[in-house]
């Protein structure tokens, strides 16, 4: 078992629950085998409608979800889950390679993308990352509070507060903000952000970084006198408090 996997478990100490959804039985069997080797409890589904039923019964901590399925596609499954208030982290599987498809999945509420063909190790790594970001698992890490100006971020409770106002962030927005705050006053390139937050480079496309920076700005800076997130043209982004 991977050492990283031993650090991740449900808050009550039980194994993480993963739902793998694909209309190719051989693929779901392989995924289930790889995920069980991590010590996780796994269920599978072969269609979108079956996935919704299993998700209700099983209560997974994360989904591996194929985009292209005959009855209800992955984006449709995710839409219904979010409408039901289920914010479970989702890693999409897709044969599509267009960045527009990837961004469509992320803006629909997905957390990451893996393009077929892929390695099982890659899927496990992406799942581990999105589960950590979502706060859906406990680790041995101690409490950690990051602060930039009047903005604070609690790495354990995932609470973000600016000037007394609590700010709701998605798992990916939280991870992006944490990376910026850990590197206060340091300019981070789009490539560095892609590598750290998404663990890969989206085929070299950086528009997803611009998209998520704009999301953060709307939540953190909009309507406030002082902006914390700054663009360094041609270089990247940084977060800094105003000079006293």
């Amino acid at each position: 078992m991977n050492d990283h996997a031993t650090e991740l478990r449900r808050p009550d100490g039980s194994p993480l629950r993963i739902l793998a959804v694909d209309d190719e039985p051989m693929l779901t069997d392989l995924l289930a085998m790889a995920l069980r080797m991590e010590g996780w409890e796994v269920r599978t589904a072969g269609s979108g409608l079956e996935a919704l039923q299993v998700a209700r019964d099983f209560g997974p901590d994360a989904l591996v979800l194929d985009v292209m399925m005959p009855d209800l596609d992955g984006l449709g499954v995710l839409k219904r889950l979010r409408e039901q208030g289920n914010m479970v982290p989702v890693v999409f599987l897709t044969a599509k390679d267009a960045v527009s498809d990837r961004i469509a999945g992320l803006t629909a509420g997905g957390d990451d993308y893996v393009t077929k063909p892929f390695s099982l190790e890659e899927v496990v790594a992406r799942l581990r990352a999105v589960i950590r970001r979502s706060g859906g698992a406990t680790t041995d890490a101690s409490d950690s509070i990051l602060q930039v100006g009047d903005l604070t971020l609690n790495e354990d409770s995932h609470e973000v507060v600016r000037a007394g106002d609590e700010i709701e962030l998605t798992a990916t927005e939280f991870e992006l903000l944490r990376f910026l705050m850990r590197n206060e006053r340091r300019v981070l390139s789009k490539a560095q952000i892609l590598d750290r937050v998404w663990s890969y480079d989206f085929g070299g496309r950086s528009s997803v970084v611009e998209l998520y920076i704009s999301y953060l700005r709307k939540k953190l800076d909009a309507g406030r006198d002082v902006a914390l997130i700054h663009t360094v043209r041609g270089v990247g982004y940084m977060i800094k408090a105003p000079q006293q």
Side-chain angles (χ1 to χ4, degrees):
M1 185 185 300
N2 191 299
D3 289 341
H4 291 296
T6 62
E7 301 170 4
L8 289 178
R9 56 191 178 275
R10 302 191 108 192
D12 64 2
S14 62
L16 289 172
R17 297 178 180 178
I18 311 296
L19 172 56
V21 187
D22 197 292
D23 60 351
E24 299 177 40
M26 185 178 296
L27 184 54
T28 51
D29 287 348
L30 285 171
L31 282 168
M33 178 186 68
L35 299 174
R36 288 185 180 117
M37 287 178 66
E38 298 295 315
W40 299 339
E41 188 177 348
V42 184
R43 298 278 176 86
T44 62
S47 71
L49 294 176
E50 184 185 0
L52 290 171
Q53 181 62 52
V54 175
R56 281 192 294 270
D57 298 339
F58 184 44
D61 299 295
L63 267 69
V64 181
L65 184 57
D66 189 29
V67 171
M68 299 299 291
M69 289 184 291
D71 59 347
L72 181 64
D73 68 17
L75 296 179
V77 171
L78 183 62
K79 183 173 183 289
R80 292 198 190 181
L81 288 172
R82 296 297 187 249
E83 286 172 350
Q84 295 165 8
N86 188 337
M87 302 307 291
V88 62
V90 171
V91 174
F92 279 117
L93 304 177
T94 181
K96 295 183 177 181
D97 198 33
V99 70
S100 59
D101 294 320
R102 297 176 178 186
I103 291 178
L106 291 168
T107 55
D111 295 280
D112 208 342
Y113 245 97
V114 181
T115 303
K116 297 177 181 179
F118 51 80
S119 70
L120 294 171
E121 291 83 359
E122 180 183 19
V123 175
V124 170
R126 302 288 176 79
L127 273 172
R128 196 180 293 120
V130 300
I131 292 167
R132 278 200 179 106
R133 294 203 300 259
S134 74
T138 60
T139 70
D140 297 328
S142 60
D143 288 352
S144 182
I145 305 292
L146 302 177
Q147 183 161 2
V148 176
D150 59 0
L151 177 69
T152 60
L153 178 150
N154 186 315
E155 293 185 292
D156 270 6
S157 69
H158 278 227
E159 291 175 305
V160 177
V161 177
R162 182 166 187 193
D165 297 327
E166 188 166 351
I167 297 167
E168 296 290 332
L169 299 179
T170 67
T172 303
E173 289 166 352
F174 180 88
E175 186 67 12
L176 173 56
L177 179 60
R178 173 160 58 181
F179 186 43
L180 290 169
M181 292 179 72
R182 281 181 170 176
N183 293 276
E184 182 184 3
R185 303 191 69 81
R186 177 184 172 198
V187 180
L188 301 172
S189 70
K190 292 176 183 176
Q192 287 174 309
I193 293 171
L194 282 167
D195 182 63
R196 174 61 181 83
V197 177
W198 283 272
S199 303
Y200 67 121
D201 67 359
F202 266 91
R205 312 263 196 330
S206 60
S207 52
V208 70
V209 175
E210 298 166 12
L211 188 72
Y212 272 82
I213 287 288
S214 72
Y215 291 164
L216 274 185
R217 280 182 165 143
K218 286 176 184 175
K219 293 185 176 183
L220 298 179
D221 292 341
R224 299 182 186 271
D225 294 334
V226 177
L228 295 178
I229 299 174
H230 302 268
T231 300
V232 180
R233 196 170 298 280
V235 184
Y237 304 96
M238 74 171 169
I239 192 166
K240 65 176 182 178
Q243 296 289 349
Q244 300 298 323

